Amino acid sequence: MAVNNPSGLLEACVVVGPSRESLKELCQAQLQGKDIKHCSLEAEVLQVHAPPFVSKESDTDGPGHAPAFSRVQRRRSFLKKKRERPAVSSNNGTKTSDSTISRADDLSVPKDIDLIALPQLCFPDGLIVAPESQEDSYHFLVFTDVFGNQTHGVVVQYYKSLQFSLEGVTYQNGHRSSKPPRLYTAYGICVISKYPYYNALRDCLSSFLVQLKTCRMDDFEEKVKEFSAKLALVPIPPPGQLQVVFSLKPLQIVLPPREDMDRPAVDLDLHLPFLCFRPEQILQVICSILTEQRVVFLSTDWARLTLVAECFMFFIHPLCWQHPFVPILSRQMLDFLMAPTAYLMGCHAHHFEEVAAETEDLVLIDIDSGTVTSSCDAELPDMPMIATECFKGRVEGLQLNYDLEVCRRGSSTDMSELRAHRRQWQRKLNSEILSVTLELIVNIFRDVHDHLNYEHRVFNSEEFLKSQETADQAFYKKVLETHIFHSFLRERLSRKNDAFARMEINTRSEAYRKPAVLEMTRKYVGPENRLNKRLGMSLPNLAEDHSLTRPLRQLSLMKNSPLIDKGATLSPGFKLPSKPFKTFKLPEFPPPLAFHYVQKYYCDLINLLSEFIATANPQDSSLLARYYYLRGLVSYVAGKRLEALGDFQNLYRTDTDIFPMELMRAVVDSLQESERSVVDRRPDLKRLISRVKKSSEQARLEDSGSVKKFELPRTHMLQEDFVRRVQESGIVKDQGTISRLFDALTVGVESAAKFSAQSVFYLDTSPDGQQKQVDPEVFRDFYTIWKETEAEAQDVDLPASVLEHLDSNERVYKLSSSVKTSHGVGKIAMTERRLFLLTEGRPGYVEVARFRDLEEVKISSAPFLLLRIPSLKIKTSRRREAFEANLKYECDLWHLMIKEMWAGRKMADEHKDPQYVEQALTNALLMDAVVGCLQSQKAIFAASKLAYFDRMKREGPMMVPKTTSETLKHKINPCLNLPTPQAVDILLYTPGELGAAGSDGGGFPKLWCTLSGGKVVVFDAASWSMQQNCIQVGTSRLSCMLGVDQQQLWIGSEDSVIYIINPHSMACNKQLTEHRAEVTGLALEDRPDKYSPLVAYSCSAEGTVIMWDVATLQVRRHFRLSCDGLRSLQIFGGRLWCCALDCVMEVRRNGTLHRKVALPDHLRGPPSFYSGFVVFHEREQLWTGCTNAGELCVWHLSDPKRPFQRIQLPDCAGVICMIKVKNQIWVGCHGSGGKARGKIYVVDTEHHKVEKELVAHSDSVQTLCSAEDRYVLSGAAGQDGKIAIWKVE
């Protein structure tokens, strides 16, 4: 939600110039014959105009109302030192003269404006008096307070002739001059705003100067005040695609919106730095900012300083400069450059030599010459090569010259048309530049998320540095210590879904985007298992061999291309989506500055917005939200607070991203008693206010999150602390694996002193028990060995003759020492798929075995002179003779690892779950580290604690029933990046077409999966790879999902809210809050024709059913059913079918009951409740299942008193979910006899019998969904937490 309190365009307007006394003295000096050509005067503040400019005469509007979008609560005092005080516009629109101001009084001005320094900034070269008029000049200012909040200013310097009454002024000979001298002096008008509308404010001043130069001096102050008041009436457009336009003759002024919630509006020409610098110099400037150097911009043109510096602030987004930012320093302010901290400042190029000589450790950027120089102490490191080369290539494709754009166009006589075309060209170029620079930042920091632990908010900086190229490490060492990077880390750890996160995901290489997919067994790739061509357009061929496309950890003996490893985007360039702007033109400003005229202006503005809302396309919810935002804002400043609350309620439903939280609180706080009583009578407004207060409290309580740097432990660790430390280290996340690792590192406690230095000790906690702890030295040794193994492996390069035998994404994870084998001398290498011998001498490849082909692995001994050397014998189904290797002291470890990989591969093939291979590989590598760490007689025994799959293989059969094996196609794990498995509550498949991902109406098919705590995980159903790791939708359990259209996916929650996700942007910015209890069901009604409105239904646990207009998200009808716990609803034959705990009801659209099916007599009672139903409308049948009954009941709709058929489900304790697929009913259950194992039953609806019993989950089946009636997907409860994909026959 937006948290900034919106205001008008103007914060203040300040007039700066010479005082009247100084000008009189100057004139006298000239009349006395003194040379005053180009003399300099001290500039002073002459006028300050700040809103509110008008107020209601009576006090009936309440203390909280302030017209003209003002910020009356944010003001401070300014005590002027000079005798002559500037005129200040008062609240009632009158001018306060000098004589009425007591010297003890001070001026009321916005608190962020420093009036003392402002004259120097308005005239950084000094105020010049000239005998001739000079050209008007503009420059730009940025003010930053101690909290980093910025205020922006645009200054125009224009010259005005001076005419004085010369009473008493004579020449030295006593004669008066018949013609007074003609002098021109500069005046400055500074328009200050909280928003960086540099071009717009410059246009405003340009229009105003046309009027100002023709007005009399007596009218000067009133003209400035009128100009200021008009700007104060201009509302700032909300983020999105709606720009605000207003007329300030002779120009039309355009205020572009923020296109990104996290970035200010772009109202300057971002290509200016590219006209001043070569790409190499631009990269140097960005490097100096990212490494927080003391940076000084220099130019002979004051305007360039701020504009170019601001451009670089956009270039580093989403990183944000944290230090002093003063783009313009006057000559009196040059001592600021002596500040010891990092800063970014600017000064005139005349001071180059002075600044370079007097100040050390500076990076000097000469904008005019396009050079970047630095002192020896401020030497800049080279930026990462891959990112810089990509950036240079992108810059070459930018079209920076507007003349080339318009050379084919004819001459236009319409200035507005020319300006509009120039803005359109500039916006397109700005968008391309932002894409290029964001891509640069993404490529620089792409690997950061690989070294983050989100649960514990830890960043492993040491491992991040090691993962970078040697030449790039100097750059990253500096960046990692900066404040700017620390803030960036906080946002990454908070999983901020900003432009960086979206581009990082969209530009990952395919190998980087498929962490959950390993290779699938080839023995299932037969013609009968392949998908037909038509289905292949929307669903993947699940029988294809997939690769382990992301390594378990960064440990590989193959050095891939760095461009592939880093995922750098080279071609084609990823472009940020840029939608065309919609325009809202403000009505003409009121002529006189009076309260009733301003109120009429607000009324006209509200009426105009109401017309736009009435005529807007209901399906364009984004545009409607912007209109609601503006109308609510204008209604509030016009004193119509109840109307403002209504608009904010519509906004909250339509787009929560731009919801103005602070403004909403201001509206509520300003309500009068009569208005509060109205709010109390409206439940919808009460709910909105309650939710806003709750959200505000949550936002305050939420810790923005400090970032912890990973450090090795210094004290002994109990198991809970040990689990946390291992997770923080990034070695492994799974708590079960970490618990087994804890057991391994605590083996041999009773004899620890005999085998090694004390590594583990017992702490007496009770008379009959002892508690194990791990010594920090053991953990340090274990961690060091783990990381050393990675580093050593990465230094080995496999020859091309070996690589050609391996699959494209296959990696080597373990390499033995050089040993003698039955096939020669060499090193045994282990990948995730096979063992092979890397022969010595001339490197060669000899395949030992694929893990799926293993038949026997045993330890033997080979004779060597008079000794017997331990050896390892490996038999496979593809080779008669056994492979034997004299592994000596490594024999036991390799025996353990190979058996674990063999068992993991076998389980993966049987269960068609590729994650088993990854888990087995993790276990094998942990064994290696444990043995290297303990180095004792019990090291192998300790490592055996990690042989999880081998133990399962020995303890029980691993075979999957034949029916299950034939029907099961694949398994995926939505909890892959979580420390523990979580229940899969809801699954939803949304169709699409391959190759249409970028189109508006298409996209790849997706599988949406909800986990506990409001998490939503999205899979690309074309490859079953995880597309979106986690979308947070509230904090409660999610209970139902519905794909409404291409732009909306509805999710019902336990917290009574319906959350709406945009499937393209993955953003959840809409909410429906009309339900009062858990939302349990969602259904979509088929439209009779394409012109009919789309209607959806939702139900909640207490029996409420709501009918929604999907386009407008408005309630069309609602009613309440009399039942016990409404669980779900469906639509068949134009009627609603609602399932409650005690009955299934057929309901007409108006809410009247048509028929009711109660629980069958033999199941009535507290233990049994309806859990699901399926309607066969064409057969006039109803199928039902109950929670504590292992049977299905089949009813005739014509006789709903008792079921005519009961189908028993063997070994089933109760039905949890059921769906219809073709002519089958698929039923998800939980096992009987205390078993948690989930089963799926496939029931033939014609013969009323169970066709298949499928077992692939270790916990109950929670949800089922169909993928185009060709696949069924099942999700299991928390002990399993996986998704199985089944073939439908």
Side-chain angles (χ1 to χ4, degrees), residues 32 78 216 335 435 607 706 776 864 902-903 912 921 926 1194:
Q32 293 171 3
F78 169 70
R216 296 182 306 169
D335 58 336
S435 293
N607 292 335
S706 59
F864 180 74
W902 179 17
K912 299 183 183 177
L921 185 56
L926 289 174
V1194 187

Side-chain angles (χ1 to χ4, degrees), residues 277-459:
F277 303 99
R278 297 190 306 275
E280 292 79 8
Q281 277 66 53
I282 290 179
L283 289 168
Q284 284 183 300
V285 177
I286 293 176
C287 179
S288 66
I289 296 173
L290 294 180
T291 55
E292 292 187 349
Q293 304 289 332
R294 301 163 74 201
V295 181
V296 180
F297 285 92
L298 300 107
S299 176
T300 56
D301 187 339
W302 294 106
R304 294 180 191 173
L305 290 172
T306 299
L307 294 179
V308 171
E310 283 279 43
C311 287
F312 280 102
M313 295 299 99
F314 281 100
F315 292 171
I316 66 170
H317 180 79
L319 287 86
C320 184
W321 182 253
Q322 306 283 317
H323 297 280
F325 180 70
V326 190
I328 288 183
L329 292 175
S330 67
R331 58 190 176 189
Q332 296 92 344
M333 297 178 175
L334 290 180
D335 58 336
F336 286 11
L337 298 177
M338 303 302 293
T341 183
Y343 55 70
L344 194 156
M345 300 187 186
C347 66
H348 200 281
H350 292 163
H351 305 299
F352 185 96
E353 298 297 335
E354 178 185 352
V355 171
E358 296 294 332
T359 312
E360 299 178 351
D361 304 335
L362 290 184
V363 177
L364 302 176
I365 302 166
D366 191 329
I367 298 174
D368 300 336
S369 64
T371 59
V372 179
T373 58
S374 59
S375 61
C376 57
D377 295 332
E379 186 174 350
L380 296 176
D382 292 332
M383 292 181 70
M385 181 190 68
I386 298 170
T388 57
E389 292 301 317
C390 177
F391 175 78
K392 293 176 185 177
R394 293 280 187 258
V395 170
E396 290 179 0
L398 295 175
Q399 175 54 265
L400 303 174
N401 197 320
Y402 180 65
D403 291 338
L404 294 177
E405 172 73 15
V406 298
C407 61
R408 60 183 175 84
R409 295 172 57 91
S411 299
S412 175
T413 58
D414 188 342
M415 185 177 67
S416 297
E417 180 185 346
L418 287 174
R419 283 166 50 83
H421 184 270
R422 178 65 168 79
R423 280 195 303 269
Q424 184 179 3
W425 176 84
Q426 189 64 59
R427 183 190 173 222
K428 179 175 179 292
L429 179 58
N430 284 351
S431 179
E432 293 175 353
I433 291 173
L434 289 175
S435 293
V436 170
T437 55
L438 178 59
E439 186 181 41
L440 170 69
I441 301 299
V442 168
N443 286 336
I444 291 174
F445 298 109
R446 183 184 299 277
D447 294 341
V448 165
H449 78 90
D450 289 337
H451 302 273
L452 296 176
N453 182 279
Y454 296 95
E455 291 76 17
H456 304 291
R457 298 190 66 84
V458 172
F459 174 62

